[in-house]
Amino acid sequence: MPKPVLWFTLYCLAEMGAYGRGIQISTTSLAEKLELSQQSASRHLIELEHLGLIERHITARGELIQITNKGVEELRRVHLGLNTVLEKPTPTFLTFEGEVFSGLGEGAYYISLRGYRRQIVKKLGFDPYLGTLNLKLTSKIDIQTRKELDVYLGIVLEGFENETRSYGPAKCFKALINNAVEGAVVTAFRTHYDESVLEVIAPVYLRTRLNLKDGDKVQVKVFILRSPEFSA
Amino acid sequence: MPKPVLWFTLYCLAEMGAYGRGIQISTTSLAEKLELSQQSASRHLIELEHLGLIERHITARGELIQITNKGVEELRRVHLGLNTVLEKPTPTFLTFEGEVFSGLGEGAYYISLRGYRRQIVKKLGFDPYLGTLNLKLTSKIDIQTRKELDVYLGIVLEGFENETRSYGPAKCFKALINNAVEGAVVTAFRTHYDESVLEVIAPVYLRTRLNLKDGDKVQVKVFILRSPEFSA
DNA sequence: ATTACTAATCATCGAGTAA
DNA sequence: TTTACTCGATGATTAGTAA
């Protein structure tokens, strides 16, 4: 979590449209909105950039500011917290629809590692098929929803290291694929690769079990744990 | 708007349950959550109390903290802002159901004042019947929703003064009563009386027009202006 | 215009401690 | 145990100004 003052500046930027389309603004006008000096606005932007929460392109007449995925995550975290506090119903599951595509087989590699595999058996309750089903999310709303996963509590697979290298932690959610097979969705922890992809694992080979080929549509129901995580 | 640091402390308190039931907590344990010193936690609580955002009852072993309506409003304001930013659909109207009851006739008094009446004609487009229909909200969800009105933009009736005294500003929302009559809901601006009451005005005498007597249920559809207000 | 440096100012914080 | 004071240290903000 960034410091409250910085979070607030980030929030202000978002209100002005820096999420998505991005905005062009001068530090002076930002300062007015924040009720701070031009110098402080400038410093805040520098610090937010260093934290990786915004991207900037400084031009002659102001700067182009865009909130990064990491930045949106910080906003989303508080949003979820407020949802809970203000008694907005928190979903118990999220549904996605994606198209099957072939990855490069890294999924299979990671799952085959004993460090991960043993945790999957223990924490998810099944011995995974050694491969992942990659789903490309196409609708805008699904991609949007996908990002919400980042701030929900999931089942954590701890990072570990073997002789060769070290492996980071990952976050899983139990899931139901095509309303038929129980499995899980796996997301790397705090690594922002492609936000429009869902990686699914299951105890069985999903392609044969569900008779899938590239381009087929698949529905996934992802189960959320109650409260949003709240930590740095 | 309180300072960002204080807002954040307020938010933390809310997360711990200080909204609604209230919490018993020591400044030391609060300090841990905030990652601040006990002294700072203490100071924050003092300041929040001075701002009227929380109420405290200090006991031998910690203090009882309760977030006030004003405090919740501050949280709600940011929540709504985040809704907009994160592209959650903002409602265009809110619906309520309440029971008719007889007030003390102050409604009629206020509306009869030229200072308000002229603004109603001009800004709401009708000449109001000189009285209000009081609705008591009974369901918890309606009372909850009623509070949301505080942070939405409405049509503002400016305050004024006459020979006798001065009158504060009020906020209105156009409304549809029982899906039949067009009128408006009036809320005093930043005065927190009874949060479970809705005051309705209309160009006609609603009790005869809709054939209402005390205790009858009435549906009200309240129309919201686009964006939430964002100011002190 | 801009952004952002340095230096001076001012607010906030935490240590120590009283009640 | 508590809360919350004083006060010196820390850190954030603004003024002035360079680029």
Side-chain angles (χ1 to χ4, degrees), chain A residues 79 81 83 86 88 144 148, chain B residues 79 83 86 88 144 148:
Chain A
H79 183 245
N83 270 342
L86 300 171
K88 298 292 166 190
Q144 184 78 4
E148 289 186 16
Chain B
H79 183 245
N83 270 343
L86 299 171
K88 298 292 168 191
Q144 186 77 5
E148 290 187 13

Side-chain angles (χ1 to χ4, degrees), chain B residues 107-132 155-158 160 170-174 182-187 199-204:
Chain B
Y109 167 67
Y110 285 115
I111 292 177
S112 68
L113 295 167
R114 290 184 55 199
Y116 285 132
R117 191 172 163 191
R118 286 202 295 205
Q119 290 187 70
I120 293 172
V121 173
K122 191 177 165 197
K123 296 178 181 175
L124 289 169
F126 63 82
D127 193 15
Y129 170 83
L130 299 184
T132 64
I155 295 159
V156 175
L157 305 183
E158 313 286 351
F160 61 96
K171 191 160 72 167
C172 307
F173 300 90
K174 291 197 177 185
E182 286 183 29
V185 159
V186 188
T187 71
E199 285 198 280
V200 182
I201 61 173
V204 295

Side-chain angles (χ1 to χ4, degrees), chain B residues 50 73 97 116 123 141 144 146 158 166 175 178 185 191 214-215:
Chain B
H50 285 159
E73 204 181 308
E97 187 181 81
Y116 285 132
K123 296 178 181 175
I141 178 88
Q144 186 77 5
R146 160 70 184 80
E158 313 286 351
S166 70
N178 269 357
V185 159
T191 309
D214 279 8

Side-chain angles (χ1 to χ4, degrees), chain A residues 79 83 88, chain B residues 76-77 79-85 87-96 141 144-154 173-174 220-229:
Chain A
H79 183 245
N83 270 342
K88 298 292 166 190
Chain B
R76 219 178 271 287
R77 178 168 288 120
H79 183 245
L80 267 146
L82 286 169
N83 270 343
T84 317
V85 159
E87 299 180 60
K88 298 292 168 191
T90 306
T92 57
F93 61 85
L94 301 172
T95 48
F96 297 92
I141 178 88
Q144 186 77 5
T145 315
R146 160 70 184 80
K147 293 178 188 167
E148 290 187 13
L149 280 185
D150 290 337
V151 291
Y152 280 108
L153 270 179
F173 300 90
K174 291 197 177 185
V220 184
K221 193 165 166 179
V222 177
F223 296 92
I224 305 296
L225 303 183
R226 299 148 310 276
S227 48
E229 64 176 314

